[in-house]
């Protein structure tokens, strides 16, 4: 009946609103996230191991292990403005998915939104969620980019001319919109 981590007596409507600093609520991750859900009586998924229910391990396209993490956050989200082609930023609660390979991010985006687009829809790349441009954007990296070799930014696709076949694949962070 309330937003995770919000103050029940003076609700803000923001994730982790009870811990605001300077009008900004910090992301709700790790032990704080798990404790918040357990205190609310919500059963935790199995996850990676005991005490890490917010983490999952999977293999990237090169067969290397990756660890994704689920957090919750309140971010600036670009919503349609008063006129066609205009966008305004509004605070929105999101589920943050950290360390997704490009293939996994594209697949989730296509399943959730019906097409893969890092800028529009309810599933966005973190750097694109607050963009007010009218242009669609591809996810910031693809499967050919090695982990740690580039900085991801909205609207430009990083490439790696000579990755090794055994390189760990670069990752992105995505936001899933929780409510309007």
């Amino acid at each position: 009946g309330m937003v995770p981590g919000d103050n029940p007596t003076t609700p803000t409507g923001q994730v982790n609103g009870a811990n605001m600093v300077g009008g900004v609520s910090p992301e709700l991750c790790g032990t704080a996230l798990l404790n918040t859900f357990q205190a609310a009586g919500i059963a935790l998924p199995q996850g990676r191991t005991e005490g890490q229910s917010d983490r999952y391990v999977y293999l990237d396209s090169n067969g290397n292990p990756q660890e994704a993490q689920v957090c919750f956050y309140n971010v600036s989200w670009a919503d349609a403005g008063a006129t066609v082609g205009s966008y305004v930023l509004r605070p929105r609660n999101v589920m943050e998915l950290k360390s997704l390979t490009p293939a996994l991010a594209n697949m989730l985006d296509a399943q959730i939104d019906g097409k893969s687009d890092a800028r529009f829809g309810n599933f966005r790349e973190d750097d694109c969620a607050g963009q007010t441009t009218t242009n669609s954007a591809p996810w910031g990296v693809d499967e050919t980019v090695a982990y740690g070799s580039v900085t991801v930014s909205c609207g430009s696709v990083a490439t790696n001319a000579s990755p090794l076949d055994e390189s760990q694949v670069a990752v992105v962070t995505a936001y899933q919109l929780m409510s309007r």
Side-chain angles (χ1 to χ4, degrees):
M2 65 181 245
V3 176
D6 203 359
N7 188 329
T9 56
T10 55
T12 65
Q14 293 187 8
V15 167
N16 216 9
N19 297 310
M20 275 194 179
V21 177
V24 177
S25 58
E27 68 181 358
L28 186 58
C29 279
T31 304
L33 171 68
L34 304 179
N35 288 341
T36 297
F37 279 89
Q38 281 188 306
I42 298 171
L44 300 173
Q46 182 163 343
R48 181 171 183 171
T49 186
E50 182 63 33
Q52 292 188 338
S53 300
D54 61 331
R55 298 168 191 264
Y56 302 88
V57 175
Y58 65 99
L59 298 178
D60 65 23
S61 59
N62 290 339
N64 294 310
Q66 296 276 7
E67 181 182 72
Q69 183 179 19
V70 175
C71 299
F72 289 87
Y73 208 18
N74 186 277
V75 300
S76 291
W77 189 269
D79 278 333
T83 59
V84 173
S86 70
Y87 296 90
V88 294
L89 295 178
R90 294 192 174 101
R92 297 288 184 231
N93 293 322
V94 297
M95 178 171 55
E96 181 181 41
L97 301 169
K98 296 180 179 184
S99 299
L100 300 179
T101 61
L104 181 55
N106 276 292
M107 182 195 71
L108 289 170
D109 193 12
Q111 286 182 342
I112 292 167
D113 292 336
K115 67 177 187 171
S116 183
D117 184 338
R119 161 68 183 91
F120 291 105
N122 290 333
F123 192 80
R124 300 180 185 177
E125 189 169 0
D126 62 343
D127 288 344
C128 294
Q131 295 289 319
T132 56
T133 63
T134 58
N135 301 335
S136 291
W139 287 83
V141 294
D142 63 25
E143 294 291 306
T144 66
V145 179
Y147 186 89
S149 65
V150 297
T151 302
V152 178
S153 64
C154 184
S156 61
V157 180
T159 58
N160 189 352
S162 57
L164 301 174
D165 287 344
E166 66 273 8
S167 294
Q168 189 173 19
V169 175
V171 294
V172 296
T173 297
Y175 294 149
Q176 167 65 49
L177 184 64
M178 298 306 293
S179 62
R180 290 227 176 250

